[in-house]
Amino acid sequence: MTRQGGHVPVLYQETIDALNLKNGQTVADGTMGGGGHAQGILERILPDGRLIGIDKDTAAIERCKKRLEQFEDNILFVHDDFKSIMEVLKTNGIEKIDGAVLDLGVSSYQLDEGGRGFSYQQDAPLDMRMNRDNTLSAKTVVNEYSQNELTRILREYGEEKWAARIAKFIVEARSQQEIGTTEELTQIIKNAIPAAARREGPHPAKRSFQAIRIEVNGELAGLGQALEDYVEALSSGARLAVITFHSLEDRIVKQTFKKLFDPCECPKDFPICVCGKTSQIKLVTRKPIIPGEQELNENPRARSAKLRVVEKR
């Protein structure tokens, strides 16, 4: 799979192979993005299979409709959050799915579309909404959240060492005038971080932009429950593949899969299980799959990607 219109599917071959697909299956792509994984899935499940393509970004849906036009009879496009999978299946009269993929986080298209305000490398209005129907935007977070709230978000979601100082600088700057663009915010963050700290590691605004984006889109809220819903929706032997891009997401995925694999709540010194909770999944990947050297050279954005795969018992 090659780059198409700026989109590079991360861990593409590893994901498609891990799903273990065959003709005639019904598979969900909960985060279609640029449609790379979706196309790979379709090529495995055609001519009789069906793809449920979900994305909360209408621009992504429209792109995928064009890219996957040749497969239109085999695709159900759904404008919704991937976390609504049970409702999506119920609405469309689908009882079980034979596989699912979730490519979490921001897509290449969203980063490259300057006007969306996701990137600290392009000046644009502060937005960061994946679903443009949502009312909460980055501009609201930056200009209306309290200093304590900003500190919490930057620390928890961005794992930002200088969270309190950055929040203080944001509040001071917005008291003079509203912060309206990514360039303005980036400059405030740079000013807040001591020069010595800016010289090392990633771009000084990277963690803060990640944190604000996660808050705007509620990326971590309900993720664990959503993963449980996808496992419940799988038919026996079907697989769920999840790609994460930062440690907070990966931790939730890892912990949720661990709970589904070993749900027993009995004290460790009990000779036998009496709680009655049994394992729902097999761990296809006990350790996450990460990109190889060739992929990292071709697509540096894949650097933090991790793929975890489970199979429904």
Side-chain angles (χ1 to χ4, degrees):
M1 176 64 63
T2 56
R3 177 185 289 268
Q4 294 198 25
H7 176 66
V8 182
V10 172
L11 291 163
Y12 169 77
Q13 201 60 53
E14 294 88 342
T15 302
I16 301 303
D17 288 346
L19 288 171
N20 204 20
L21 304 171
K22 55 179 180 284
N23 175 40
Q25 293 181 324
T26 298
V27 180
D29 184 342
T31 50
M32 289 191 80
H37 290 117
Q39 182 171 337
I41 291 167
L42 283 160
E43 289 169 353
R44 296 284 181 100
I45 64 174
L46 290 178
D48 304 313
R50 176 166 57 158
L51 176 75
I52 306 160
I54 306 169
D55 207 292
K56 57 184 174 183
D57 186 344
T58 52
I61 295 284
E62 292 307 311
R63 272 195 305 270
C64 288
K65 283 182 177 178
K66 291 178 182 177
R67 174 174 182 167
L68 305 172
E69 187 175 12
Q70 69 193 93
F71 308 112
E72 62 181 355
D73 293 340
N74 299 83
I75 307 177
L76 170 65
F77 289 101
V78 181
H79 176 224
D80 208 333
D81 192 311
F82 73 87
K83 296 169 188 170
S84 304
I85 183 63
M86 300 306 276
E87 185 180 331
V88 169
L89 296 181
K90 183 179 179 182
T91 300
N92 291 283
I94 300 167
E95 289 190 14
K96 292 290 180 181
I97 52 177
D98 304 306
V101 61
L102 297 174
D103 185 355
L104 303 178
V106 66
S107 75
S108 296
Y109 280 112
Q110 290 165 335
L111 286 170
D112 292 338
E113 263 189 299
R116 302 293 293 274
F118 284 101
S119 176
Y120 46 79
Q121 295 176 323
Q122 300 182 64
D123 192 22
L126 272 175
D127 192 332
M128 300 194 197
R129 290 173 298 167
M130 292 180 183
N131 185 347
R132 287 169 165 172
D133 293 338
N134 288 349
T135 54
L136 183 65
S137 70
K139 186 176 180 181
T140 308
V141 171
V142 169
N143 288 285
E144 297 182 16
Y145 276 31
S146 70
Q147 186 170 326
N148 285 341
E149 286 176 313
L150 287 170
T151 300
R152 179 188 64 80
I153 290 164
L154 297 175
R155 185 174 289 140
E156 288 185 13
Y157 298 162
E159 299 176 295
E160 174 55 70
K161 177 182 177 182
W162 301 99
R165 187 173 164 89
I166 292 169
K168 180 173 179 285
F169 272 57
I170 288 173
V171 171
E172 288 174 353
R174 77 190 191 193
S175 69
Q176 303 300 315
Q177 67 177 55
E178 184 180 69
I179 302 166
T181 70
T182 55
E183 176 58 36
E184 290 168 6
L185 179 59
T186 298
Q187 195 56 54
I188 293 165
I189 295 167
K190 284 182 177 179
N191 292 341
I193 299 176
R198 292 202 306 267
R199 286 195 287 269
E200 297 179 359
H203 190 286
K206 181 177 181 178
R207 293 188 180 92
S208 295
F209 269 63
Q210 171 186 293
I212 295 166
R213 190 200 81 221
I214 289 173
E215 172 68 14
V216 168
N217 296 289
E219 293 176 39
L220 299 181
L223 176 56
Q225 181 58 54
L227 295 171
E228 293 187 34
D229 288 345
Y230 273 84
V231 168
E232 183 181 338
L234 292 175
S235 58
S236 179
R239 292 182 174 185
L240 167 63
V242 184
I243 301 170
T244 60
F245 287 88
H246 57 78
S247 59
L248 298 174
E249 280 177 342
D250 185 59
R251 195 175 306 146
I252 293 171
V253 175
K254 180 181 178 181
Q255 290 173 349
T256 303
F257 285 170
K258 182 179 180 182
K259 182 176 77 169
L260 294 173
F261 175 69
D262 183 14
C264 179
E265 296 176 347
C266 299
K268 296 301 179 185
D269 57 353
F270 271 34
I272 59 169
C273 173
V274 295
C275 72
K277 295 190 174 181
T278 58
S279 178
Q280 297 182 46
I281 59 171
K282 299 175 185 176
L283 300 175
V284 178
T285 54
R286 288 189 173 270
K287 290 186 176 180
I289 297 171
I290 59 175
E293 189 175 340
Q294 182 179 341
E295 178 167 7
L296 291 176
N297 288 335
E298 294 174 355
N299 181 17
R301 287 176 180 168
R303 185 162 303 281
S304 56
K306 291 181 178 179
L307 168 65
R308 294 184 186 273
V309 185
V310 296
E311 181 176 299
K312 179 75 171 285
R313 289 188 183 276

